[in-house]
């Protein structure tokens, strides 16, 4: 502690951010700009070593606001895909269009951006070496002196005053705060890719359009769904979603590791042939993505030097809000730390506000997801 003109001031904390995803990098940008000593530990070996997933539409009140707070909104608007905001809802059995939302040119307030492009945008202002790649956190403990010790899997240890866990659903930082872990929802998304789609698959390119296609199974098809997104570089990512069978276990990424397109098609009997081309014509199955969530309203005791944001704090089923909330969490936390005399009190106050907001949003998202797939309960939310 130091005293300036009779006022007791907290020193600027040395900060570790776990995770170089959108939330972690928003926080890193803002804290670095305000003169904090920041280190970001990221498990990925490099910027491009792992696919980051599909496109994102950043919303005005959260994702876009976070970029404004970070001073990166104009740069985002310059590279975002403003023309890819279309939405089509398709009948699962007939292939008929149930809803089509095509914003007029120059309108629409949710421009799209690929995850890798967003990551590169957020990395650009940061100095070399601030993000440490290939640094997977094993655990976080407290030192006798009251600081935090971040131990990496390779044995390295780094001491700091504050650890911000932005390391996603499988957060290692969360383990230092609570024993609560994400639960499997019972639904798995299988991701498939089509490249050079306009030339190689013009019918699919037209059906998906410039944006998102969705089709939810009902009646005998309840528990299945198909989604498709146009990404940059003429790529369409499709997601075949289904409730898993009893013999898939609660570790579907392993149980379904050898899944073929034919196996996948067998889970969609009666579906429109025009929609099944999203599976049949795909270049390959790219990933098995079990959908998990933390119990709605998850909280932990306020703990000096430790906090969580984004999916590490409140992961929910994917309903289009997760990244937006995570980026807003990060921006508000960084702003609170920089603007308050007592940074530790600021962290705890912002944590409470974040969890209040997340509890309401998580309940809404989980309830809608449960309805989509005919689930009795999802990740701790009781049946209604």
């Amino acid at each position: 502690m130091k005293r300036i003109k009779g006022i007791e001031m907290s020193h600027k904390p040395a900060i570790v951010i776990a995770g170089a995803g959108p939330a972690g990098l928003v926080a890193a940008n803002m804290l670095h700009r305000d003169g904090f000593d920041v280190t970001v530990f990221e498990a990925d070996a490099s910027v491009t070593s792992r696919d980051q997933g599909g496109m994102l539409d950043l919303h005005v009140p959260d994702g876009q606001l976070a970029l404004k707070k970070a001073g990166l909104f104009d740069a985002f608007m310059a590279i975002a895909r403003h023309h890819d905001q279309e939405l089509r809802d398709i009948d699962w059995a007939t292939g008929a269009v149930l809803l089509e939302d095509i914003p007029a040119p120059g309108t629409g307030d949710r421009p799209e951006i690929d995850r890798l492009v967003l990551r590169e945008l957020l990395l650009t202002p940061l100095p070399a070496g601030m993000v440490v790649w290939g640094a997977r956190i094993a655990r976080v403990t407290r030192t006798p002196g009251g600081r935090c010790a971040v131990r990496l899997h390779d044995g390295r240890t780094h001491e700091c005053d504050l650890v911000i866990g932005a390391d996603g659903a499988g957060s290692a930082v969360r383990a230092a705060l609570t024993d609560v872990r994400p639960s499997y929802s019972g639904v798995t998304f299988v991701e498939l890719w089509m490249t050079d789609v306009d030339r190689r698959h013009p019918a699919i390119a037209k059906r998906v359009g410039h944006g998102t296609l969705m089709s939810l199974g009902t009646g005998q098809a309840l528990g299945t769904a198909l989604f498709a997104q146009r990404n940059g570089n003429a790529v369409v990512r499709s997601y075949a979603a289904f409730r898993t069978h009893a013999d898939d276990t609660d570790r579907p990424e392993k149980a379904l590791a050898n899944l073929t397109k034919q196996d996948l098609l067998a889970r969609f009997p009666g579906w429109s042939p025009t929609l099944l081309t999203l599976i049949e014509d795909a270049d390959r199955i790219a990933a098995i993505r079990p959908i998990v969530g933390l119990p709605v309203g998850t909280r932990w005791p306020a703990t000096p030097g430790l906090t969580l944001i984004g999916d590490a704090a409140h992961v929910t089923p994917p309903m289009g809000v997760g990244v937006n909330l995570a980026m807003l969490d990060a921006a508000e936390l960084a702003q609170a730390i920089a603007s308050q005399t007592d940074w530790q009190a600021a962290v705890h106050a912002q944590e409470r506000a974040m969890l209040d907001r997340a509890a309401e949003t998580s309940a809404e998202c989980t309830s809608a997801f449960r309805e989509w797939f005919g689930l009795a309960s999802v990740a701790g939310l009781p049946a209604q």
Side-chain angles (χ1 to χ4, degrees):
M1 302 288 284
K2 62 181 179 180
R3 190 175 297 274
I4 300 178
K5 293 183 179 179
I7 301 175
E8 200 172 57
M9 304 284 289
S10 294
H11 73 286
K12 276 192 171 182
I15 299 172
V16 162
I17 298 173
L25 292 178
V26 164
N29 271 276
M30 293 179 64
L31 292 166
H32 169 66
R33 179 189 64 195
D34 289 326
F36 288 84
D37 174 11
V38 179
T39 302
V40 182
F41 288 130
E42 169 54 51
D44 288 351
S46 69
V47 178
T48 58
S49 64
R50 179 179 62 87
D51 178 65
Q52 298 299 298
M55 70 179 184
L56 302 167
D57 59 328
L58 298 187
H59 306 167
V60 172
D62 31 50
Q64 291 183 34
L65 177 59
L67 290 175
K68 289 179 180 178
K69 291 178 181 291
L72 292 169
F73 179 72
D74 290 343
F76 161 72
M77 292 295 283
I79 62 174
R81 302 199 313 279
H82 299 269
H83 57 285
D84 282 351
Q85 301 184 58
E86 299 175 2
L87 173 65
R88 290 172 177 83
D89 185 5
I90 308 297
D91 183 85
W92 71 272
T94 67
V97 177
L98 301 175
L99 177 149
E100 193 169 58
D101 182 6
I102 304 177
T107 66
D109 60 2
R110 293 184 174 185
E112 304 287 349
I113 189 168
D114 288 359
R115 289 173 184 263
L116 176 58
V117 176
L118 178 61
R119 183 183 235 189
E120 291 172 337
L121 170 68
L122 291 167
L123 285 167
T124 299
L126 301 180
M130 178 174 287
V131 178
V132 182
W133 301 96
R136 182 180 296 277
I137 294 176
R139 64 180 181 273
V140 179
T141 57
R142 302 284 297 176
T143 71
R147 304 188 82 203
C148 293
V150 179
R151 185 172 180 82
L152 305 180
H153 274 277
D154 63 10
R156 287 177 291 170
T157 300
H158 184 97
E159 286 194 13
C160 62
D161 301 298
L162 173 64
V163 178
I164 301 173
D167 47 344
S171 173
V173 180
R174 188 196 305 116
L177 290 167
T178 175
D179 292 332
V180 178
R181 299 290 182 270
S183 302
Y184 175 51
S185 67
V187 173
T188 290
F189 281 32
V190 176
E191 180 179 330
L192 306 105
W193 290 0
M194 292 182 189
T195 56
D196 196 10
V197 67
D198 296 297
R199 184 183 66 84
R200 296 175 57 220
H201 306 285
I204 291 173
K206 182 178 180 180
R207 191 170 301 118
V208 174
H210 285 273
T212 299
L213 174 153
M214 62 182 293
S215 184
L216 302 175
T218 58
Q220 68 186 53
L222 183 64
T224 54
L226 286 171
F227 307 93
Q229 300 176 331
R230 177 176 283 270
N231 287 206
N233 301 314
V235 171
V236 163
R237 293 181 191 241
S238 299
Y239 300 87
F242 51 86
R243 288 194 313 229
T244 45
H245 301 155
D247 58 358
D248 289 334
T249 77
D250 62 351
R251 297 295 303 276
E253 68 274 26
K254 291 187 176 181
L256 302 175
N258 297 317
L259 187 77
T260 67
K261 289 196 292 182
Q262 289 304 312
D263 296 333
L264 192 53
L265 287 166
R267 294 179 182 251
F268 289 81
W271 274 70
S272 165
T274 61
L275 287 170
L276 293 181
T277 58
L278 293 169
I279 299 173
E280 293 169 338
D281 294 352
D283 298 347
R284 63 187 179 92
I285 292 176
I288 307 294
R289 302 191 182 279
I291 304 304
V292 301
L294 284 166
V296 173
T298 293
R299 294 177 183 268
W300 51 87
T303 304
L306 292 171
T307 194
L308 305 172
I309 56 177
D311 283 354
H314 49 72
V315 64
T316 62
M319 302 295 288
V321 299
V323 167
N324 285 280
L325 279 183
M327 292 172 68
L328 184 61
D329 293 347
E332 291 185 344
L333 176 63
Q335 189 172 45
I337 292 170
S339 64
Q340 300 297 318
T341 300
D342 186 342
W343 64 265
Q344 297 193 66
V347 168
H348 297 324
Q350 183 52 41
E351 189 174 78
R352 290 192 297 272
M354 173 193 70
L355 292 174
D356 288 344
R357 175 175 61 212
E360 180 178 352
T361 303
S362 296
E364 293 172 356
C365 290
T366 306
S367 181
F369 187 81
R370 183 176 59 202
E371 183 177 349
W372 278 11
F373 290 97
L375 299 168
S377 64
V378 176
L381 185 66
Q384 293 178 339

